[in-house]
Amino acid sequence: MAEKVPVKTIMAILVENRKETAEKVQKILTGWGCLIKTRLGLHDGVLDNCSDAGLIVLELVGNPEQHKELCDKLNKLPGVKADYMELSFDQK
């Protein structure tokens, strides 16, 4: 029996106008929290100099239909662009 090749799904979310958009993005991510294995949030600046744009990187579990639905919900928000990809190693 062939061993199953592990597949990793990674989603990247660009967020503009973080001050206005972050709460809506957070609400969606909380609702889909069981799919999120790892989350990394990045933005430039600290303290008084925070940038108004950010990047969130997610490692997802679950099935491709769930990943697409989450991505579609995020992309409906103004100022948010989400996309995802699957990564795997081919066994030889």
Side-chain angles (χ1 to χ4, degrees):
M1 176 195 282
E3 187 176 324
K4 187 175 179 182
V5 178
V7 175
K8 297 288 185 180
T9 302
I10 305 298
M11 180 176 287
I13 307 163
L14 288 174
V15 180
E16 292 181 328
N17 304 316
R18 282 185 328 109
K19 293 173 186 161
E20 293 81 26
T21 311
E23 189 174 331
K24 294 173 188 169
V25 171
Q26 180 59 42
K27 187 173 182 176
I28 291 172
L29 295 180
T30 297
W32 290 82
C34 290
L35 292 182
I36 300 170
K37 181 176 180 182
T38 308
R39 175 178 172 169
L40 173 65
L42 306 166
H43 69 281
D44 293 329
V46 292
L47 300 175
D48 305 6
N49 268 343
C50 278
S51 65
D52 202 30
L55 171 66
I56 301 169
V57 179
L58 306 176
E59 177 187 4
L60 300 176
V61 297
N63 64 57
E65 293 80 20
Q66 292 170 312
H67 303 160
K68 181 181 182 328
E69 189 174 348
L70 172 57
C71 191
D72 291 345
K73 286 187 181 298
L74 289 163
N75 280 320
K76 287 180 182 175
L77 295 175
V80 175
K81 173 63 179 147
D83 208 346
Y84 64 98
M85 64 180 167
E86 292 182 348
L87 298 172
S88 66
F89 289 103
D90 292 332
Q91 288 188 335
K92 302 207 182 217

